[in-house]
Amino acid sequence: MKKHHTIIIAGAGGIAEAVGLLLMEWSEVPPTLFIGDRTLSKAKQVALWIQEGTTKSGFIQDFHLAENGITDEMKIIFRQADIILDCLPGSQAPRIAQFAKDFNLHYANLTEYVEETEEIIALAKDAKTGFILQTGLAPGYIDLLANGLFQQFCEDFEVDKVDKLEFKVGALTNHAVAPHYYGFTWSTVGVATEYLKETIVLRNFKKTSLPSLSERTTIIIDGIAYEEDLTSGGAADLPDALLGKVRSLDYKTLRYPGHYAWIQEQIANLEHTTDTIKVLQEKMEAIIPHIEDDKIILYAAVEGKDATGILRRREIAKCILPQKVGKHQLRAIQTTTAAPLVQAAQLLLETPLSGVVLQSKIDPIPFLNGNYIVPVYGKLIK
């Protein structure tokens, strides 16, 4: 941030920690931070953690973000603030977005939840402040990377349509053991949700829905074999934005070989279950451990014929590891998710934006080369 802002962080998990620390460490002018959570002790813990981890001076205050309704303390804080950065579970997103609209605040969130995103689009369509939605890692950074690749491909090869636009992300551990070949590095309910809800894709230039985990295949990235499969939410609004321009577009999640076969065994036993997401989450939590040592693998590619009819392909792949920020070591999932959210906050606070801003509406190259993005993802060469 180039000047002082007052920022509310809703939530007190690992991403909220990272958002607060990045804001304090990498802003030219450190902001005033308010950390809110339904469990006040967690908010206090995160506020203290950020304070202890930053090398900069600034005001950081915790508060109780009531699960229902609004308190007098919340009203006072909302009236002081410039923006809410929503790091809560996606189910809470419409409620927090409504607070932002009611108190004339900017708003940005991370969620891949489709229905909740559509609800926010409806409530914020006439807002005077800006609402950037789905601006984490996936959805978020990966969509901007894919869209930027598409735009550059069309410009360089003098075309306006392509055959394929693929983008994939894996939040993985360094090691994986049988039978699940996985370790949790982020939200367990988020993993269960993306495995069970339908995904939006483009097929034959048309938008359609497909079941998640219905197109598994193998991909080799930097010499390592991964399995990829369709999962929900990661495509953001690109299927709408690139309708008629891309023959085949999809977002897939990367996993180690063997994981998806195990997951499908678990899903096969959910046929007579009403709350399938909750039950799958519980099945996974019973056997899959949480692991701190992580890495992010991401890959995007565009393929199509150039103006002379020659088949071309452009690819970008990255492997991102844990990183020290200030005095704390952050996991890869923390930095890669938090950095785009913080970059989105700067975009809202320092440019005249209002209403809903979806991923396809953000100019990819300046955003991907932003001052909060580059220390995590590296500079993107146009």
Side-chain angles (χ1 to χ4, degrees), residues 97-367:
Q98 187 66 59
F99 286 141
K101 186 179 181 184
D102 291 345
F103 287 86
N104 205 35
L105 303 173
H106 293 296
Y107 171 87
N109 73 17
L110 302 162
T111 184
E112 74 276 19
Y113 290 14
V114 176
E115 293 87 352
E116 285 79 358
T117 297
E118 290 173 349
E119 190 175 338
I120 296 172
I121 290 171
L123 76 85
K125 65 180 183 294
D126 59 347
K128 295 178 181 178
T129 52
F131 286 67
I132 296 184
L133 308 183
Q134 300 185 309
T135 184
L137 165 57
Y141 180 93
I142 194 64
D143 304 280
L144 289 165
L145 183 63
N147 197 24
L149 262 182
F150 167 78
Q151 292 177 13
Q152 197 63 52
F153 186 96
C154 291
E155 181 181 333
D156 290 348
F157 296 119
E158 299 177 340
V159 295
D160 57 9
K161 293 182 180 180
V162 302
D163 291 329
K164 297 178 183 178
L165 187 59
E166 311 168 17
F167 39 113
K168 320 166 196 300
V169 172
L172 300 170
T173 53
N174 288 318
H175 315 287
V177 299
H180 47 73
Y181 299 101
Y182 188 59
F184 281 119
T185 65
W186 67 290
S187 164
T188 56
V189 67
V191 174
T193 299
E194 73 172 8
Y195 286 172
L196 290 171
K197 291 198 173 185
E198 287 197 332
T199 183
I200 308 298
V201 301
L202 293 181
R203 293 291 183 264
N204 198 26
F205 295 106
K206 295 178 181 179
K207 181 180 168 183
T208 188
S209 296
L210 293 176
S212 286
L213 309 187
S214 63
E215 290 189 0
R216 189 189 322 166
T217 188
T218 300
I219 184 172
I220 296 173
I221 302 174
D222 290 331
I224 300 173
Y226 302 94
E227 286 185 343
E228 57 174 53
D229 212 337
L230 297 171
T231 55
S232 70
D237 71 316
L238 291 191
D240 289 306
L242 300 180
L243 188 67
K245 298 178 181 179
V246 181
R247 185 184 301 278
S248 175
L249 176 153
D250 54 55
Y251 169 79
K252 290 185 174 182
T253 293
L254 300 169
R255 293 289 183 253
Y256 289 121
H259 173 72
Y260 282 129
W262 182 83
I263 284 294
Q264 289 197 306
E265 287 179 14
Q266 312 312 307
I267 293 174
N269 297 320
L270 300 179
E271 290 180 0
H272 305 294
T273 302
T274 53
D275 192 346
T276 54
I277 291 175
K278 182 179 179 182
V279 175
L280 178 59
Q281 178 187 356
E282 291 171 349
K283 282 178 174 287
M284 291 191 296
E285 288 175 340
I287 190 171
I288 299 175
H290 288 75
I291 296 178
E292 294 294 311
D293 193 15
D294 71 335
K295 62 182 177 182
I296 299 295
I297 306 297
L298 62 88
Y299 174 91
V302 58
E303 182 175 303
K305 291 182 178 179
D306 65 17
T308 67
I310 297 173
L311 186 63
R312 306 278 189 175
R313 186 174 177 91
R314 291 266 181 91
E315 303 169 301
I316 294 178
K318 294 177 182 286
C319 175
I320 298 169
L321 302 175
Q323 177 177 351
K324 190 171 184 181
V325 178
K327 301 174 187 176
H328 290 315
Q329 181 84 353
L330 295 182
R331 288 175 291 134
I333 188 65
Q334 288 180 289
T335 56
T336 53
T337 304
L341 181 62
V342 175
Q343 196 70 56
Q346 179 166 285
L347 184 62
L348 287 169
L349 291 166
E350 299 185 355
T351 58
L353 292 174
S354 62
V356 177
V357 182
L358 300 176
Q359 293 303 297
S360 69
K361 302 300 182 185
I362 298 172
D363 190 357
I365 302 303
F367 190 93

